[in-house]
Amino acid sequence: MPELPEVETTRRGIAPWLEGRTPASVVIHNPSLRWPITPELPERLTAGPIGSVERRGKYLLLNNPLGTALVHLGMSGSLRVASPEEPRRKHDHVELGLDGDRVLRFNDPRRFGSWLWTSDWQQHPLLAPLGPEPLEASFTGDRLYEGSRGRRASVKAFIMDAKTVVGVGNIYASEALFRAGIHPGRPAGSVGRQRYRRLAEAIREILGNAIAVGGTTLRDFTDSSGNPGYFRQSLTVYGRAGEPCKVCGTPLRDRVIAQRSTVFCTQCQR
């Protein structure tokens, strides 16, 4: 599933093609995504220029004078800028006409993605409950510490909860916990303030590094130009069960934590 770095990479790729421009057309080839696309979406998206392309958690926000299109890539979705002459792929469900020589196509084989419309995205029920952005100043180790008091759930489940902090999915949670030296199964309420400060910094570093190299390609993620992400080459624990720890050499363990396969080092993470 595309996580925050993949979504941010996509945002940066499509923003120059959209910001300040009014889509010439919006064609819905298949409205049956996770939620049905409203029939009014083409009319609203072509009503005025897209002033900004933002991101909130894993949602892309295409803002124009009438409101905002909320775009989610789901489990297999991608956005790519292409030539109109390029044959449409089997799972291209939404297409925005740009400046005559380019189109923006949304491809989603599993159809878990979504295109929704709202007049006030900050109050939308999918976005209003979300926690802080991990790369913004409001996200701190002290905030993690205060929010974790009395929590018996694992620290991994705690940081993967979007109400705690947005965009820390399975890959990056595993990597950040390893960098901070925290066992992913430890109860969140038992982690001290200083360790949460290290964890917050690790989350920022891991996500920042992943964004810098275009995200992580595990199956078929590519950016808006069709290029893969390269953070996979930097993974220290995720997907490496049974291999030696890159720090101490101990074989990495794998167990299900927070309902996800979780790889960790029994020596480096406590």
Side-chain angles (χ1 to χ4, degrees):
M1 176 184 294
E3 296 190 16
L4 186 149
E6 290 77 42
V7 179
E8 178 61 20
T9 298
T10 299
R11 186 197 71 78
R12 295 181 183 187
I14 67 174
W17 295 96
L18 295 176
E19 291 181 342
R21 304 177 185 181
T22 301
S25 62
V26 176
V27 179
I28 301 173
H29 298 292
N30 185 352
S32 301
L33 302 180
R34 183 176 183 182
W35 298 285
I37 301 176
T38 57
E40 296 79 18
L41 183 71
E43 178 182 355
R44 293 172 181 173
L45 258 182
T46 57
I50 294 175
S52 64
V53 179
E54 301 178 65
R55 178 190 53 75
R56 182 70 173 107
K58 298 180 184 180
Y59 285 88
L60 292 167
L61 314 177
L62 313 185
N63 301 298
N64 79 1
L66 293 185
T68 302
L70 307 181
V71 182
H72 197 286
L73 300 180
M75 297 184 69
S76 59
S78 63
L79 287 161
R80 75 183 188 281
V81 177
S83 165
E85 284 74 36
E86 178 184 316
R88 185 165 65 88
R89 299 178 185 176
K90 180 179 179 180
H91 301 290
D92 285 347
H93 303 311
V94 181
E95 181 174 307
L96 275 64
L98 303 179
D99 283 347
D101 61 345
R102 287 290 184 272
V103 293
L104 179 68
R105 288 174 175 161
F106 175 71
N107 184 278
D108 186 6
R110 298 188 184 183
R111 290 190 290 135
F112 279 105
S114 62
W115 283 68
L116 304 173
W117 184 265
T118 179
S119 59
D120 183 0
W121 67 263
Q122 294 186 16
Q123 300 303 316
H124 193 278
L126 290 172
L127 302 185
L130 295 181
E133 291 284 335
L135 301 179
E136 294 183 355
S138 58
F139 174 64
T140 66
D142 289 333
R143 181 167 182 161
L144 286 178
Y145 174 78
E146 298 297 339
S148 68
R149 297 306 86 190
R151 297 286 292 268
R152 295 184 178 180
S154 70
V155 63
K156 185 183 181 187
F158 176 61
I159 63 172
M160 288 180 63
D161 185 344
K163 294 179 181 178
T164 300
V165 55
V166 299
V168 184
N170 192 35
I171 298 172
Y172 302 107
S174 297
E175 292 295 309
L177 286 163
F178 176 80
R179 182 169 296 193
I182 301 173
H183 192 291
R186 178 177 289 278
S190 71
V191 179
R193 186 183 297 271
Q194 291 301 323
R195 302 190 81 195
Y196 269 123
R197 288 174 177 171
R198 289 200 298 271
L199 179 57
E201 184 61 28
I203 289 171
R204 281 192 290 269
E205 290 175 354
I206 291 290
L207 293 176
N209 292 342
I211 291 169
V213 295
T216 303
T217 298
L218 294 177
R219 291 188 179 174
D220 57 358
F221 171 74
T222 57
D223 66 16
S224 60
S225 300
N227 300 312
Y230 293 99
F231 189 69
R232 183 174 189 173
Q233 299 172 12
S234 303
L235 295 174
T236 54
V237 289
Y238 184 89
R240 298 188 62 244
E243 297 180 29
C245 172
K246 293 183 178 182
V247 174
C248 71
T250 301
L252 297 174
R253 296 279 301 276
D254 183 12
R255 72 183 242 211
V256 175
I257 299 175
Q259 299 180 325
R260 304 297 298 274
S261 176
T262 304
V263 181
F264 58 95
C265 177
T266 57
Q267 298 302 311
C268 295
Q269 295 174 260
R270 302 286 180 163

